[in-house]
Amino acid sequence: MYSLSPPSRTQGWSFWWKPALFVLVAVVGLYYVKWSPYYVKSFLAADKHSIGASILDDKQGAPVAAALSYAKVYFLAIWKAAVLAVILGSLLQVLIPRDWLLRLFGRAGFGSVLRGGLFALPGMMCSCCAAPLVAGMRRQQVSVGAALAFWIANPVLNPATLVFMGFVLGWGFTALRLVAGLVLVLGVSLIAQRISGPEEIPEPAQEAVAEASSPDPQNFLARWTRSLWQLFWSTIPVYVLAVLALGAARVWLFPHIDGAMGNSLLWLLPLAIAGTLFVIPTAAEIPIVQTMLALGLGMAPAVALLMTLPSISLPSLLMLRKDFNARVLVAVALLTMLVGVISGLVGALLL
């Protein structure tokens, strides 16, 4: 039976300062970028029953203008979180011992998936901002299921978003999002883990234990700089290009909503597909759906958008193209669409 055993010698401060530094950077960064702003925004949501205007409500008709205007609004909203995510994703690879990550997330099974989802809750990242962290996890041999659970749970089970949703759209929406989100995080991650096939965990795990018990031969700053550059180059350029492309495509992805659309189920699947591919900042699905409901969009397609818009996106899928095989990413996208459609049908009956 394979097992990881910790190094026998006692680790001193030269070992512990690295995980401590990672925790410090994560806590300070998340407080500044996420926790403090969301705490303030929760009072706005409770008082105004709104967290702002829809990011899609600028009525652009020309694709180029739509691309540039959307990219400007989007990146102004997320750049701090994106910078923090790239920093944390690179630091994860040089500050956290790989055997620690493998103990928590290395095995292919429900336990690793559950822990991946739980560890995502403090992050409150959108799918694209969580992607560099997920890439860092995968490069440390974290299992497919745990990494996917961490990725999807960041936006879908974001505690702040659930609170905003309750105040703005109603607590019925929050309850449905929570239940469907748990199905999405756990179910999709476990299915994708099975699709990915067996992973070679023992050998990297043994290497990790050996690394943990021997001095680091390389300078920390040099290792971090290399990791930071590799992560940045493999994720950010394609991210920017994909956001521009989707900003242009929104002219066709999200047609003008009017009362004629009503509760027509014909819009359920197209909007579930559009929601899965499109990219938004954290919690932006709430004002989008609030505005569309006010314009006459039916409950079923509205709930489908509420589930699919934050979950994943085409840019985040492209950012992780080197860290998961294509079958896994396609399966995650299709299963997200399916959960969106089913959630929409359930929402039409219950809400």
Side-chain angles (χ1 to χ4, degrees), residues 10-169:
T10 302
Q11 302 288 2
W13 170 246
S14 61
F15 174 81
W16 288 102
W17 74 266
K18 292 182 180 180
L21 177 60
F22 179 84
V23 172
L24 178 64
V25 173
V27 169
V28 172
L30 287 173
Y31 176 82
Y32 175 69
V33 173
K34 294 291 181 177
W35 300 342
S36 180
Y38 289 171
Y39 176 75
V40 174
K41 187 176 283 190
S42 65
F43 290 99
L44 173 67
D47 183 46
K48 303 292 186 181
H49 300 291
S50 171
I51 58 170
S54 168
I55 197 171
L56 300 177
D57 198 26
D58 60 352
K59 297 180 174 61
Q60 290 287 345
V64 174
L68 295 176
S69 65
Y70 188 78
K72 178 182 178 181
V73 174
Y74 174 81
F75 284 119
L76 284 175
I78 63 89
W79 74 267
K80 293 178 184 177
V83 169
L84 177 63
V86 173
I87 291 173
L88 290 178
S90 59
L91 286 176
L92 180 78
Q93 299 175 64
V94 297
L95 293 181
I96 302 298
R98 187 183 293 180
D99 61 315
W100 289 15
L101 291 172
L102 292 174
R103 289 174 196 282
L104 286 170
F105 311 118
R107 297 186 181 277
F110 180 78
S112 288
V113 169
L114 181 61
R115 286 189 290 272
L118 290 174
F119 270 75
L121 297 183
M124 304 184 186
M125 298 278 190
C126 64
S127 63
C128 290
C129 292
L133 268 165
V134 175
M137 294 171 70
R138 285 291 293 155
R139 293 171 195 187
Q140 293 296 90
Q141 305 297 327
V142 165
S143 71
V144 166
L148 288 175
F150 180 87
W151 179 35
I152 301 171
N154 256 284
V156 172
L157 299 181
N158 183 332
T161 299
L162 293 174
V163 171
F164 302 158
M165 194 175 297
F167 286 130
V168 175
L169 297 176

Side-chain angles (χ1 to χ4, degrees), residues 264-277:
S264 173
L265 295 181
L266 293 175
W267 286 102
L268 180 56
L269 182 58
L271 287 181
I273 295 172
T276 300
L277 298 177

Side-chain angles (χ1 to χ4, degrees), residues 147-197:
L148 288 175
F150 180 87
W151 179 35
I152 301 171
N154 256 284
V156 172
L157 299 181
N158 183 332
T161 299
L162 293 174
V163 171
F164 302 158
M165 194 175 297
F167 286 130
V168 175
L169 297 176
W171 296 103
F173 284 90
T174 298
L176 180 57
R177 165 72 168 261
L178 179 59
V179 173
L182 288 171
V183 172
L184 185 63
V185 170
L186 300 178
V188 171
S189 299
L190 288 169
I191 293 172
Q193 176 75 72
R194 183 172 292 274
I195 291 172
S196 71

Side-chain angles (χ1 to χ4, degrees), residues 5-11 99 103 209 212-213:
S5 58
S8 57
R9 66 187 182 88
T10 302
Q11 302 288 2
D99 61 315
R103 289 174 196 282
V209 173
S213 60

